[in-house]
Amino acid sequence: LCKVHTSGGDLALLTEGGSLINSISLNLEHTTAILSVTPPDRSDYLELINIEHGESNVLLEPNRDYFKEHSPAKMNKFSIIRNGFEIESRIFLPPEFDSNAIYPMVVDIHGGPSGVFMDSFNLTQQVLAANGYVVLAVNPRGSATYGNEFMRAVIGDWGGEDYLDIMQSVEHLCSKTYIDEESLGITGYSYGGYMASWIIGHEKRFKAAVIGAPVTNLRSFYGTSDIGVRFSEIQLQSRPEE
């Protein structure tokens, strides 16, 4: 959360990053704000911010006691450079992670295609990690928040360079001694379901796939989906007859 005068000038930082701010509510004088915050390692809480002085304190954290007894997954990040772009990934490690042990891995793919994995609590990823899986969440080209050129790079190229971004990120993590390359799974929802379907049609290394709300036929998607016509012509840069 930042503030800046309406006439411009320097940007003042009121809160640090590293968490997703879902919403903000201001008092009438704009001197106090309440934020709904979701960090990577616990679920939502409410934070009170004094806008004038930058002071803050937690107002409400309903699941504080739960997370004291149930350790969340630890989140790390890494990046690769591929075909002109830096591709960032998040890794969620089991709470009792031991680098000398070997773990199965699940690749999670976001929707959109211009969705994004943020520094925030993700229930699916946390549940998988708590049950002993390493979870890889890649933000391939097409993802939001990395700039317009990065986001638009997926247009007209579904399953092209973004697919290769994901697979090279998988290769990078599989080079670690703690990943069991014989125990890889993949999952995704919406465009993530499309991409997970695409990947298991091109790769044989995944032993299991859970695919949610996918598009598996781009022709019928155009003709029968509630967003198919508008979305397809923009995203695929063509019509079915083309």
Side-chain angles (χ1 to χ4, degrees):
L1 179 66
C2 306
K3 69 174 179 179
V4 65
H5 197 276
T6 52
S7 62
D10 295 334
L11 202 67
L13 187 67
L14 297 178
T15 64
E16 296 185 2
S19 297
L20 174 64
I21 297 176
N22 302 293
S23 60
I24 177 173
S25 181
L26 295 162
N27 68 343
L28 189 62
E29 296 79 18
H30 292 179
T31 57
T32 303
I34 295 177
L35 309 180
S36 171
V37 183
T38 309
D41 59 353
R42 61 192 193 276
S43 57
D44 301 22
Y45 63 87
L46 296 182
E47 184 174 9
L48 179 68
I49 304 288
N50 183 312
I51 293 177
E52 292 181 313
H53 305 293
E55 299 165 350
S56 67
N57 63 282
V58 175
L59 280 181
L60 178 67
E61 189 173 356
N63 295 303
R64 184 195 301 267
D65 292 340
Y66 178 87
F67 285 107
K68 286 181 179 178
E69 298 178 9
H70 302 82
S71 298
K74 303 166 188 174
M75 188 190 78
N76 294 325
K77 298 181 188 179
F78 72 86
S79 294
I80 62 169
I81 303 297
R82 224 209 117 254
N83 198 16
F85 287 114
E86 179 179 349
I87 308 301
E88 186 180 66
S89 295
R90 283 151 178 76
I91 315 167
F92 291 85
L93 301 173
E96 304 300 325
F97 177 75
D98 178 358
S99 60
N100 294 315
I102 299 177
Y103 296 88
M105 182 174 78
V106 174
V107 180
D108 191 10
I109 306 175
H110 66 64
S114 295
V116 66
F117 288 124
M118 299 185 181
D119 293 347
S120 63
F121 189 85
N122 182 298
L123 186 59
T124 298
Q125 295 163 357
Q126 287 286 344
V127 168
L128 285 168
N131 282 275
Y133 294 89
V134 170
V135 181
L136 172 62
V138 185
N139 282 334
R141 68 195 67 208
S143 302
T145 80
Y146 295 93
N148 209 34
E149 182 185 2
F150 189 94
M151 186 174 67
R152 292 181 60 84
V154 75
I155 293 177
D157 191 38
W158 282 22
E161 293 294 325
D162 56 346
Y163 154 66
L164 297 175
D165 291 341
I166 292 169
M167 293 312 303
Q168 186 165 319
S169 301
V170 171
E171 292 285 354
H172 176 86
L173 196 50
C174 281
S175 68
K176 307 299 181 183
T177 57
Y178 55 82
I179 298 296
D180 181 1
E181 290 192 69
E182 298 302 314
S183 299
L184 301 182
I186 192 165
T187 188
Y189 195 89
S190 191
Y191 185 79
Y194 167 87
M195 182 58 68
S197 302
W198 178 269
I199 287 175
I200 62 172
H202 291 77
E203 301 281 343
K204 295 184 178 180
R205 64 190 307 168
F206 295 98
K207 297 297 190 293
V210 176
I211 295 163
V215 172
T216 56
N217 185 322
L218 295 178
R219 289 177 180 271
S220 62
F221 176 58
Y222 183 95
T224 63
S225 167
D226 55 348
I227 65 168
V229 174
R230 171 182 57 84
F231 195 73
S232 294
E233 291 184 359
I234 294 171
Q235 284 287 328
L236 304 177
Q237 295 288 284
S238 66
R239 297 173 178 171
E241 64 270 22
E242 299 168 333

